[in-house]
Amino acid sequence: MLLKEIIAALESEAPRDLQESYDNAGLITGNPSREIRKALLCIDSTEEVVKEAIRKKCELIIAHHPIVFSGLKRFTGVTYVERAVILAIRHDIAIYCMHTNLDNAFTGVNRKICEKLGLADVHILSPKKHLLKKLITFCPVQDAEQVRNALFAAGAGWIGDYSETSFNSEGLGSFKGGDSTNPYVGQKGKRHYEPEVRIETIYPFYLENTIVQALLKAHPYEEVAYDLVPLDNVHNRIGAGMYGTLPKPLEEGIFLKRVKKIFNARCIRHTRLTGKMVSKVAVCGGAGSFLLPDAIRAGADVFISADFKYHNFFDAEDRILIADIGHYESEQFTTEVFADILRKKCGNFALLFSDINTNPINYL
């Protein structure tokens, strides 16, 4: 497959527009038109991983963490970042990263953690606002179904697990075409009244261009009237962290031992046990201490994440059990997310999991 086709498949699940402002997800090195036969999946595209890609004859590395977060001003090989990038370019290996956009996607990093823990009825812990917009348009009654179908096919109309949602009301539209017009109905130079349907539907902001183009193509009018309205609603399928429920409650100690085994954690830093049974569990891959208030508001008994500072543990105040399992440990199954997406959408190139543990943290 062409690299740009692989990228399109990945970003159909986690659009790059969902990344945080500080992030650098996307294509780091490589030509989007390059043909790819084999890809290496990893957490960090370090120099050692690039060498592994060379040995295994992979043209593409798909990583979770971007090897380049900010701009590089020189390529002298002094830092591990420069060496990895130089090596990849020298051997014509593309590096593509899905980071916070995959963290924020419903089927991304945190959903995989929930799967590993066996959680059911999962929800986004901190849904994002200002990602949704509403499109309002007007068209002749007989053309309404054609227009609706085009909008839905372009990605409009999703509310949670419900698709093809819209509101429709009938009214009377009026217009008068000028001398240079070619009106679909009525005559130019004369005011015309047409029974029309007002169609309202919502869409994520990053699909706006696609949806507007679909509207213009499907709509019969020469000049299409439409409104694009920003919404303050939260998007309950996009955001940070997740929470769900265990099949049956467990004692805290038993649950922590189970977590340690599932994530192959050398140790778990945790607050003192609260004495409550664990039923509802909140998770966040990577550094998630900022979500502690959200986990408490959600009524979670345990919050599993990483990179908690000393004073963060005090903030639990016996209302919740914090379990810091380590940054790498919490995100290690992200490579399976890559594989899940690509096996579902692209079936004609090889996927290899990296054999290298890039966790920079070691324990005695």
Side-chain angles (χ1 to χ4, degrees):
M1 295 188 68
L2 298 182
L3 175 54
K4 59 185 176 183
E5 296 172 333
I6 296 170
I7 292 173
L10 290 167
E11 293 188 359
S12 68
E13 292 287 333
R16 202 149 26 112
D17 290 307
L18 298 184
Q19 70 176 322
E20 301 297 331
S21 58
Y22 61 82
D23 202 6
N24 190 36
L27 190 61
I28 304 296
T29 67
N31 184 341
S33 297
R34 170 84 189 277
E35 187 173 301
I36 304 298
R37 295 181 298 274
K38 195 182 295 185
L40 184 66
L41 312 181
C42 65
I43 302 300
D44 306 281
S45 52
T46 62
E47 185 180 11
E48 191 177 4
V49 170
V50 177
K51 290 178 180 177
E52 181 185 20
I54 295 169
R55 290 195 305 273
K56 294 181 177 179
K57 296 180 170 47
C58 296
E59 301 92 355
L60 169 65
I61 295 171
I62 302 175
H64 183 42
H65 297 134
I67 186 66
V68 179
F69 263 99
S70 55
L72 294 176
K73 294 185 177 181
R74 54 185 58 84
F75 296 85
T76 59
V78 172
T79 69
Y80 79 95
V81 173
E82 293 173 17
R83 290 193 296 273
V85 172
I86 290 170
L87 191 61
I89 293 173
R90 181 182 296 155
H91 290 270
D92 196 17
I93 293 174
I95 299 177
Y96 177 81
C97 305
M98 297 184 79
H99 190 213
T100 53
N101 52 325
L102 196 63
D103 290 333
N104 286 325
F106 190 80
T107 54
V109 176
N110 296 305
R111 180 64 177 270
K112 180 60 69 172
I113 295 173
C114 290
E115 287 179 12
K116 294 296 180 180
L117 292 169
L119 302 183
D121 191 26
V122 296
H123 302 273
I124 295 289
L125 184 58
S126 180
K128 286 188 174 293
K129 289 185 176 182
H130 311 299
L131 299 184
L132 291 172
K133 300 184 77 172
K134 178 186 284 189
L135 180 144
I136 304 169
T137 191
F138 311 84
C139 72
V141 173
Q142 67 271 18
D143 298 293
E145 188 66 8
Q146 171 183 303
V147 171
R148 278 191 294 265
N149 288 340
L151 295 173
F152 297 152
W158 280 93
I159 300 178
D161 287 329
Y162 291 86
S163 63
E164 302 186 4
T165 65
S166 67
F167 182 79
N168 303 268
S169 55
E170 294 190 15
L172 198 62
S174 71
F175 51 84
K176 181 171 75 171
D179 292 339
S180 63
T181 63
N182 182 27
Y184 176 68
V185 289
Q187 296 178 351
K188 60 185 176 183
K190 293 184 179 181
R191 183 189 303 160
H192 176 78
Y193 292 92
E194 181 69 21
E196 292 181 334
V197 176
R198 173 187 171 113
I199 302 172
E200 303 180 38
T201 188
I202 66 170
Y203 62 93
F205 77 96
Y206 53 83
L207 290 179
E208 182 163 288
N209 183 61
T210 301
I211 287 168
V212 169
Q213 292 305 311
L215 169 65
L216 298 179
K217 185 176 180 181
H219 203 290
Y221 284 175
E222 191 174 30
E223 297 291 345
V224 181
Y226 62 92
D227 301 324
L228 305 176
V229 183
L231 301 177
D232 287 336
N233 306 48
V234 297
H235 195 315
N236 60 11
R237 305 278 290 188
I238 296 173
M242 268 192 165
Y243 67 93
T245 307
L246 291 170
K248 61 179 183 179
L250 294 174
E251 293 181 2
E252 290 171 310
I254 294 174
F255 177 74
L256 288 177
K257 288 178 181 177
R258 181 183 169 198
V259 170
K260 186 176 181 180
K261 181 178 180 180
I262 291 172
F263 292 89
N264 193 28
R266 292 286 300 276
C267 72
I268 295 180
R269 300 163 63 228
H270 64 85
T271 51
R272 65 188 178 191
L273 302 184
T274 67
K276 298 184 295 184
M277 298 290 284
V278 176
S279 179
K280 184 178 288 188
V281 179
V283 306
C284 179
S289 62
F290 70 100
L291 289 173
L292 180 60
D294 298 278
I296 293 171
R297 277 194 296 270
D301 304 302
V302 178
F303 181 33
I304 300 171
S305 190
D307 298 350
F308 283 86
K309 295 181 179 180
Y310 178 82
H311 291 284
N312 295 143
F313 288 92
F314 285 110
D315 294 334
E317 295 189 294
D318 293 327
R319 294 171 293 178
I320 193 170
L321 176 64
I322 294 174
D324 185 328
I325 64 174
H327 196 119
Y328 180 91
E329 288 81 1
S330 70
E331 295 183 328
Q332 63 186 289
F333 301 117
T334 303
T335 53
E336 294 183 18
V337 181
F338 300 149
D340 291 344
I341 297 171
L342 293 173
R343 284 168 181 161
K344 180 173 66 175
K345 297 178 179 290
C346 313
N348 54 349
F349 71 103
L351 298 174
L352 303 180
F353 291 91
S354 175
D355 297 324
I356 296 171
N357 183 332
T358 56
N359 190 354
I361 299 171
N362 295 275
Y363 304 89
L364 279 174

